[in-house]
Amino acid sequence: MTRSIVPSMLIVAAAVIGLCSVAPAAAEGEMPQMGGGWEHIRDVNDPHIQELGRWAVSEHVKVANDGLRFVKVVSGREQAYYGVSYELVTEATNGAGKSAAYGAVVYELENKTRELMAFRPTN
Ligand SMILES: *[C@@H]1O[C@H](CO)[C@@H](O)[C@H](O)[C@H]1NC(C)=O
């Protein structure tokens, strides 16, 4: 009895691994990994996404004191991993009124605590 169970479990395990490698989207929720599972944000006008961009610019200004003003989030991607990480391409104007794009990385924990992980001009 036990002899026949072991090989059949190996076959099932191999099938699961095979499925994961051809369908990464299906594995995202169950096996989150850093660097994998990024999803394009389809509705960039979602108020929450725009609010995250506004918050990122204000956090950046607190530290850099460079007078940047938030305009809008233009695109981004997100990844769920003990909360959600966001990489947002955010348009902002500098003190001279010149507009430019900035990459903001915001990590929002499940309890809604936020951290600005990175903020820099995109080129
Ligand atoms: C939110 O969760 C993080 C990580 O577990 C913790 O460090 C932080 O204190 C929490 N913040 C609040 C407001 O509960």
Side-chain angles (χ1 to χ4, degrees):
M1 277 293 188
T2 52
R3 273 183 197 163
S4 63
I5 290 169
V6 174
S8 65
M9 283 181 70
L10 286 174
I11 291 163
V12 170
V16 169
I17 291 162
L19 280 175
C20 289
S21 64
V22 295
E28 256 166 33
E30 291 162 286
M31 297 180 67
Q33 290 176 341
M34 291 307 284
W38 284 99
E39 278 185 47
H40 175 71
I41 296 172
R42 285 180 198 82
D43 183 11
V44 82
N45 294 317
D46 180 327
H48 181 62
I49 298 300
Q50 293 297 323
E51 159 57 21
L52 284 168
R54 181 182 297 277
W55 178 85
V57 171
S58 75
E59 283 299 296
H60 163 78
V61 169
K62 275 186 200 169
V63 178
N65 200 26
D66 59 2
L68 278 190
R69 286 166 163 272
F70 173 78
V71 177
K72 66 184 178 197
V73 175
V74 294
S75 67
R77 59 181 191 158
E78 63 186 42
Q79 172 177 239
Y81 188 82
Y82 298 108
V84 184
S85 295
Y86 297 88
E87 277 187 11
L88 304 173
V89 177
T90 302
E91 186 185 340
T93 52
N94 66 16
K98 190 169 184 291
S99 175
Y102 298 83
V105 181
V106 177
Y107 181 36
E108 190 172 56
L109 297 166
E110 282 157 341
N111 65 13
K112 301 303 171 198
T113 302
R114 292 172 185 170
E115 266 183 68
L116 183 60
M117 312 302 287
F119 190 94
R120 55 184 162 254
T122 62
N123 289 309

